[in-house]
Amino acid sequence: MSEESQAILKLGVPKGSLEDATINLFERAGWKIRKHTRNYFPDINDPEISASLCRVQEIGGYIAAGILDVGITGLDWLTEGGHEDKVVHVADLVYSKTSNRPCRWVLAVAGDSPYQCPQDLAGKRIATELEGLTRNYFKRVGVDVDVFYSWGATEAKVVEGLADGIVEVTETGTTIRAHGLRIIDEVMCSYPVIIANKDAWADPRKRAKIDQLTLLLQGALRAESLVAIKMNAPASNLDAILEMLPSLNSPTVSPLRDEAWLSVETVVNIDVVRDLIPRLREAGAEGIIEYALNKVI
């Protein structure tokens, strides 16, 4: 194997629920991943990276074994597979298939059941895809239950009378409530993480590439919640306008040809813009422009 091929970073991209969100995040960070219909080895516009689509449950094991150098997996499946101490936890990336919020593994029971807390489920049957973590959770709270693996449609297990409770993943709880279930405890909060093989992390060339990936992925993810706004502000009311503006550091203020006006530019959280722009307009700002950001480092 040539030195050049040894330096290529082997990247694991999660297949399944996180697949589209992850590929979109990579594109915003500067890497275009193009999938093929007949294999799991997509093209990526970087000669220093080779990509593989893998089930999120398997990525931790592949990286621990050195089959992959770096990848994105869920903290839940990293814990479930027992690989936390066998890989380098590089960084957290808090996003999901539909939002930028972490997901939760929760303990849920039928809405009309008498169970109010984990202790009420002593001796009962619990269905889940996350057997190891669920057993550890009940051991931690001191409750003896019968945990069995669910091959899918976990919410229906309680409805069908096959289980007394479930441990299932949710972002908002909507699907769980739609099945007539009630959450009685949170088992684990999970989100995607960047992990690396220990030997790859110790290799200076691969470490530099992992650092580059991490920096730009985090920058692209951070930019999703921010926008830039630019405006012309009257010099006579500049202080009042600046007091309205949150920013990463401080707004940029530049002189204009007309000394009565100044150009003001800043970055703010997207959630405040709808209230902020009318207030800026009332304070005399004009030519207010809002624009999206690709990355914020």
Side-chain angles (χ1 to χ4, degrees):
M1 184 180 296
S2 68
E3 183 179 346
E4 183 177 346
S5 62
Q6 286 180 323
I8 292 177
L9 192 72
K10 295 172 289 185
L11 168 68
V13 178
K15 180 173 177 58
S17 62
L18 284 175
E19 184 176 339
D20 289 342
T22 300
I23 290 174
N24 289 337
L25 178 61
F26 268 87
E27 183 165 357
R28 293 194 302 277
W31 287 275
K32 291 185 178 180
I33 297 174
R34 185 166 62 87
K35 297 184 291 182
H36 300 291
T37 56
R38 296 182 181 272
N39 67 49
Y40 295 103
F41 305 100
D43 294 330
I44 184 167
N45 62 337
D46 189 329
E48 297 179 345
I49 300 175
S50 65
S52 301
L53 282 171
C54 309
R55 289 182 61 83
V56 68
Q57 295 92 333
E58 300 173 342
I59 287 178
Y62 291 150
I63 290 177
I67 298 169
L68 296 173
D69 295 318
V70 66
I72 295 176
T73 187
L75 182 62
D76 45 6
W77 293 108
L78 185 65
T79 304
E80 176 75 1
H83 302 301
E84 286 180 291
D85 296 332
K86 301 174 185 176
V87 300
V88 178
H89 186 143
V90 180
D92 300 333
L93 293 173
V94 182
Y95 69 95
S96 66
K97 62 181 179 180
T98 60
S99 71
N100 285 347
R101 293 178 295 183
C103 63
R104 299 180 299 147
W105 285 86
V106 297
L107 175 61
V109 297
D112 58 358
S113 73
Y115 311 126
Q116 300 297 323
C117 63
Q119 287 70 22
D120 294 339
L121 289 165
K124 303 300 182 181
R125 287 171 54 80
I126 308 297
T128 185
E129 293 181 65
L130 217 62
E131 287 184 280
L133 190 144
T134 298
R135 288 194 176 95
N136 289 337
Y137 162 77
F138 278 105
K139 182 178 180 180
R140 189 168 66 248
V141 297
V143 179
D144 186 21
V145 296
D146 178 15
V147 176
F148 69 96
Y149 185 78
S150 171
W151 292 91
T154 305
E155 297 93 341
K157 298 291 192 298
V158 172
V159 178
E160 295 169 355
L162 302 175
D164 301 291
I166 63 169
V167 171
E168 179 63 329
V169 67
T170 182
E171 288 184 42
T172 64
T174 301
T175 302
I176 286 178
R177 291 191 295 271
H179 283 80
L181 305 181
R182 172 168 43 86
I183 296 172
I184 62 173
D185 200 10
E186 181 176 304
V187 175
M188 180 185 189
C189 179
S190 183
Y191 39 81
V193 292
I194 303 175
I195 58 173
N197 172 266
K198 291 184 177 181
D199 290 337
W201 188 250
D203 182 314
R205 291 179 65 178
K206 290 187 175 182
R207 170 71 177 270
K209 197 66 181 180
I210 294 169
D211 286 341
Q212 179 194 23
L213 276 170
T214 302
L215 177 69
L216 296 181
L217 287 170
Q218 288 182 318
L221 190 60
R222 189 181 187 193
E224 287 189 4
S225 62
L226 300 169
V227 294
I229 56 173
K230 189 173 183 177
M231 73 205 77
N232 293 332
S236 60
N237 206 28
L238 179 64
D239 289 343
I241 288 174
L242 292 180
E243 286 182 7
M244 299 179 191
L245 297 177
S247 68
L248 292 177
N249 292 303
S250 63
T252 299
V253 180
S254 305
L256 297 175
R257 185 173 182 180
D258 184 343
E259 296 181 356
W261 292 86
L262 295 158
S263 175
V264 178
E265 188 170 6
T266 191
V267 174
V268 300
N269 193 294
I270 196 170
D271 294 334
V272 308
V273 173
R274 64 187 180 193
D275 297 320
L276 179 61
I277 288 179
R279 292 175 57 213
L280 292 170
R281 188 71 179 86
E282 290 175 3
E286 295 183 0
I288 302 171
I289 301 171
E290 174 191 342
Y291 53 95
L293 303 167
N294 286 329
K295 290 179 279 292
V296 176
I297 307 298

